[in-house]
Amino acid sequence: ITEEKTQKHLPDNTAFKQQRLPAWAPILSAKSTLPIFFIVSIAFVPIGVVLLVTSEAVVEFQYDYTDCIINQSSMTQPCTCVINITLGTSMDGNVYAYYGLTNFFQNHRRYVKSRDDNQLFGVHVATTSVSTSCAPYNLFNDNGTIRPIAPCGAIANSMFNDTFTFSQGSAQVPIVRTGIAWPTDYSVKFNNPFPTNDLDQAFSQYAKPSNWQKPVQSLDRNLSTNNGYKNEAFIVWMRTAAFSHFRKPYGILNRVAGYTNGLPSGQYTLLVDYNFPVTAFGGRKRFILSTTSWMGGKNSFLGVAYIVFGGMCFIGGILLTMIHLHARNTREMSLISRLHH
Amino acid sequence: FDKNKVQTTKYTVLSFLPKNLFEQFHRFANCYFVFIVLLNFVPQVGAIQPFVSMAPVIVILFIQAVKDLFEDYGRYKSDVEINSAECFVLKSSDDKYHKMKWSDLQVGDIVRVVCNSVIPADILLLHSSDPDGICFIETSNLDGESNLKQRMVVPKHWGDNHEFYPKEFKSIIECQTPNNEIYKFHGNMIPANGGEKISVNNSNLLLRGCVIRNTDYVEGIVLYAGHETKAMLNNNGPRYKRSKLERRMNTDVIYCVVLLLVMCLIGSVGNGIWASNMSNIEQAELFIPNEENGEALNPALSGFYMFWTMVILLQVLIPISLYVSMEIVKWGQVHMINSDIDLYHKETDTPIRCRALNITEDLGQIQYVFSDKTGTLTENKMIFRRCTIGGVDYPHAANGESPITFLLPNAGPPRIYVQTLFNTILNTYNPQLFIQPNTHFCNQDICRLYLCAQLSLFCVLHGRLLNLLGYVRVKSIGISLFESLPFTPPYTPIITLPYATLRHVTRSHINLHPPTHHQVTSPPQYPIIKLPHPPTPSSLYHPQQLSTKRPASHHRRNISSVSAREVLATVAQSEEDSTAMDPTEIETDVTPDPVLYEKLISTPYSTFACNEAKSRPLVQRRTNHCFPTATTRYLKIRYEAESPDEAALVYAAHAYGCVLAHRSSHGGKESVTITLPDGGGKLEFEVLHKLPFDSTRKRMSVIVRDPRNGQITLYCKGADSAILSALRRDQQDDVQFDIINRTKQYLDKYGRVGLRTLCISKRVLTEAEYSEWEQLHRAAERDLENRDQMMINSFVRMEDNLELLGATGIEDRLQDGVPETIEALRQAGIQVWVVTGDKRETATNIGRSCRLIHQNDEVIELITETPTQSNMRYRNYWTPLFQAKTTNGENCRKSNIRRQFFMVIDGRTLDFVLGTGNRDQPDTLVKEIADKFVLLARRCRSVLCCRATPLQKGMVLKLIKDKLHVMTLAIGDGANDVSMIQVADIGVGLSGQEGMQAVMSSDYALAQFRFLKKLLLVHGHWNYARLASMVLYFFYKNAAFVFLIFWFQILCGFSGGNMIEQSYLLIFNLIFTSVPPLVNGVLDKDIDAATLLKKPELYMQGIKDELYLQRTFWINMLDALYQSLIIFFFLYVIYLDTEVGLIEWGTVVTTAAVFVILIHLGIETKTWTWIHWVCQIGSVLVFFAYSLIYNIVCATCLPPSNPYFVMERVIQTGQFWFSILLVTAVALFPR
């Protein structure tokens, strides 16, 4: 009792408080670092090979059609050009059609923020409540009556509006323009305003974006459900790209009769409704056909990087082992651990 | 007037929010945050949703507010406790004192405060239970001085009537408006009946917070209450110390700011160029939205906006969270230090206490330790060791250790016969006797006997000489009887002194004294005379009775080693005694020759008397009764003394049977009663005057009237220099001269073995002399203008022409582990300085014994005697370094210069160094000397400053700190170390014997000096290493993250675009990567404790700042640069020309960054405990959990990034995982 009484300030003798917790103290010595080199190289090289093979398996076809009409002036005046395409290899499996843009800064800050997610969510916005982040593409002065633009903002306004008609001989290759947007975007983020069954009425109070040829409710003439904000091409466009050199899905090959295994090799014709101006800002645009793998599109960098890094580790490991063996005679391991830490 | 309620809390429930916010916005960090937030509200600039950007600010403000709230709640609780304390207040209705809460006290109330209770407000003392109208207060709560101070009742305010009737008290009191000057108070009291104004001053005022001591109760009127009390007005907040690491860190923060500005500038210029390129292009508005008016933005303006946008985006580079994190980490470190069981002192039940929270890492960077000696290196448990009386040395074996006897080889034949005698005895006996422990008892006893006898020779009671004669006779018989003792070792030399010789000797000695002394040789009231025969020859014949002396001496030991703290008068026999002695033995033991345990030497007596109100048995005083003489020897008395030396003296006297029994003061006369042992009776000395101690005089005196012959004598005790300089100068007396000479030699020897010395002297005054002086003194007291100076002059006048009686040597033992600690600190590269008030010899000796000075060290002594225009001849020591002008008046001893030096400098010489000694000393000279001193001191292994005043201690430290820019630590235990402790970077207080002042002003409070070793070498090192790595890590982490965003600007046209989702951007630091570094900051151990203690050299890392250099900072930044480049451009190449969305890619980048940054820390972590694992893995999991949940719950929030379902999609792709793996591996590989 007296012990307790006299030592009431005695600190708790616990491992934590006395800083005596069992601890693992990795000491970087040659013995522990050298194996790491080899383990890394052994792990990385095979991964790299696998990735490279996967990437090589992806068949990709690109065609830059920017210059097919040189004196194209604006988005609103359509014209067409015809491009002949030869597919050297067949494209098996799902085939995606992309359009690729270069030097188009979809990641520009002021561009990125020029949208109204609420509006796209299906909320009716009044003239007064349309998001200011869309400015100056938020309101449209229609002969004195000011109407909000639907969809507002620079992103929507600059929506890519070239259309591709891809055909093999006289038969059109069935490329559907649905299934390209993220399912969650389609089902949750993008909703048409009320009444959803009558889009003309739903959008009656809005003005179309100034660069658009058609209002939002009639983006897809072929498929009535693919209209309004729930147009998948629109949704894809609205997901701004990370870099100024990007591609976006245009459509998916519908694997019906004749195309069940993908796109066979051969001669194809691409008819482009050339609307989207890129030469003005020094951009390029491409038409891309590609299959995909579990690793996404064709990209050999990852595989190569794995192999190179693994290889470097291996070489480094061997070098260090030699140095280590040499140094052991003279200065033990201190050199190694210092070299590497 | 306010009530006495005290509120120290900063906030009330209502005012908390606004006030706390206000306080917080005073901090730079928070202002920066708010600035950023506000910037976000500017539409052209805003990079992040303004409301989102507020989140971290709010979180940080919230954390700080909670912390403040806790602190404030603590204050609130103590307030409540204080406010609800009770006191007795007079109610006018029934004229009785009622209990009342402190908070209800009002100005004008009459209160009664009883003994040992705290004074509730500033009270004017009107009445005291003490018939003389005085009371004692302890002011340690206020100024830290633990001695008691006397306060007086307002004189004559109740007229001639000595009773105090509170009800009739109707006076008007005029006083100053409340101020914070503790020692100043003036006022007037105008009695209601129109009497004369009575002036009241500080001596009538009892201050809040003081404690009433030794007075049954006091009554007074409240003058200041609550916040107006002087105590509250003096209550300042704690000091804020900024650690060295923090200072360095701040410079690096500035680098970060510069870096940030550079990056922003690059961004802004880049934006301008990019925008101007684009403005030439017609369709640029496709992705550069125009302004609202439809115009394209001017490139210059755009660039300007861009700058601010970049500031917002890259704000994280300035590690604001670092400040919060550091506070948390330091708090954790302090907690760890506090709970270290190795720093816990069992005996006193004191753990270490960290009082300063923000300088834990400074402990790892100390370069200079300034240590006090007394109580710090030593235990400050004073033990009376030996004394020299009349030129003869007497050892006192308090702890059963063999005392060393000093022989004066060159002393020549002593002139006093008595001395010859005693010396003969001692010298002949000692060499052999002291060797064998089993002969101790006789030896000790003999020594003690002679000591006592000799003490009585010069003690107050000159009349005792006759008794001495009797005593010596008895003893001489006893000595001769040793021969017949059966167990006496054969080699014990026997000296048989002829009785006649002795008699002759004593007589002749008596004859030396003036005849007046003889007249009082046998006054009847002295009981001693009647019994000159006990320790009767018969008892001494018996061996076993002789052996009873041994337990008895044990017993005495016990008494003398009782610590001088609280009053305790219990009849308690030590266990040892009760078992060792049977009643008869006790009987024999308590009846030795009274002379044997004769009268208190003048030492304790004067000590006692001088320390008015400082050393006294308190209980006795309160209860007004004395110990029964017969039992005195079995009482453990605890004396309370101002300094342990004095207590030691009183205890020593007690051990010899002279007991300080009672102190009293009746009717303005103070007296001291001393109980003589065993029916020796009591003597009551009238204390006429007390000349208290002050540091200029370095001595204190008391003037007493001997009750037996009415002689007035001044006894003066003080530092040897102080006494020796005041001795009688017309020294014709050979005897005196001889005494002085021998005493000086002994003093020197005492000093060499590390004893603290005090000289004791006396001066016999004639009535005429006394009354003359008294008159002058009264006049001095009355003088209002320069009273202090006059008083000192008066004291000095009195303390002159002294006659040296002797000196005492008191041992102050080294604390446990001191040499080892000093040795370890040395090896750790820390210079240890000892700064002490002790004399040089003593200090040097302690220095040797605690291995401060090594055997072969060269000791440089800087001791200059003549202060005026003396420049120090450092040249002598360091000719190549100092081409100084040679000056005179200096007394340095030069020796051959070898490698190791040890410098000793004394207070007076320090004065020249510091420029405090002489006002005429020109500043340039001071500077020159100081520079040289510092240069020299640097070259020394160690420096010892002796005879330093408290102020000098602080100034020396400051000098070193300023000149060398080093980290200093001061350690001390007493009030005299406070200045040093406060000046030092780290002040360590030892909770020792001398009160709490040092502790109160310190940053760390330890119980023992030896704890310093672990505190510095282990905790200091750890905390420094931890904090250094944490700070660097924070810089790295933030930089790496910010670089990622910066690189992105190249890709997005310097538009301030941001791929990382806003909330990640903001909470990345706050949540994802915050906990592991904090855990590391508290728990990581780069080297384990045992190694650190074994190899103090490891501490050098901290001294040399090795872990946190400018270089390391930049290396870390480069690391951040490299890693960010790898992360960014690898992922860029991987994801180029894919359909990846902005935020999608940003999420990949963020994930990679989280992995890289966390694993980076993992590599930095030296020891992994389960806590580390939990935090590391937990952080990753938290990141994923957060992003997954956040990405799923909200489809429209946080435009424009709106990361709905991004993470969910991303983690489904193989590309993501393989990219992360690759990037992490490559980014971290160099490490």
Side-chain angles (χ1 to χ4, degrees), chain A residues 6 9-10 18-19 23-24 105 108-111 117 136 182 184 240 247 280 286 299 302 306 340-341, chain B residues 46 281 286-287 289-290 339 341 344 349 1026 1051 1055-1056 1085 1134 1137 1139 1142 1168 1202 1205 1209 1218 1231:
Chain A
T6 51
H9 296 298
L10 181 73
Q18 300 310 317
Q19 309 194 40
W24 171 62
F105 288 81
H108 193 279
R109 178 174 62 87
R110 300 216 319 264
Y111 180 83
D117 278 341
W182 291 12
T184 50
T240 53
R247 65 173 70 169
R286 291 161 297 151
N299 190 336
L302 205 55
Y306 265 98
H340 286 281
H341 208 73
Chain B
I281 295 165
L286 270 183
F287 45 82
N290 289 331
S339 55
I341 205 160
Y344 169 81
D349 186 35
R1026 288 165 179 170
L1051 300 184
S1055 63
K1085 293 186 280 190
I1134 291 169
D1137 193 26
E1139 57 205 284
L1142 181 66
W1168 284 79
N1202 191 358
F1205 231 69
R1209 238 187 114 90
F1218 282 104
R1231 297 193 77 82

Side-chain angles (χ1 to χ4, degrees), chain B residues 1155-1215:
Chain B
F1155 273 103
V1156 168
I1157 284 174
L1158 283 178
I1159 295 175
H1160 177 102
L1161 180 71
I1163 294 172
E1164 293 281 285
T1165 306
K1166 304 296 191 309
T1167 48
W1168 284 79
T1169 65
W1170 60 267
I1171 301 175
H1172 289 87
W1173 288 110
V1174 166
C1175 291
Q1176 284 274 3
I1177 296 168
S1179 289
V1180 174
L1181 291 181
V1182 162
F1183 168 70
F1184 278 109
Y1186 169 81
S1187 53
L1188 288 173
I1189 291 168
Y1190 163 62
N1191 285 3
I1192 210 165
V1193 290
C1194 184
T1196 54
C1197 24
L1198 289 188
S1201 47
N1202 191 358
Y1204 183 66
F1205 231 69
V1206 168
M1207 194 58 167
E1208 282 77 1
R1209 238 187 114 90
V1210 161
I1211 57 168
Q1212 291 171 19
T1213 62
Q1215 208 173 11

Side-chain angles (χ1 to χ4, degrees), chain B residues 91 95 232 243 279 311 378 848 1027 1100 1191:
Chain B
K91 270 192 187 162
D95 203 11
M232 296 307 294
S243 71
S279 62
V311 169
T378 61
R848 280 190 202 284
L1027 219 62
M1100 295 270 199
N1191 285 3

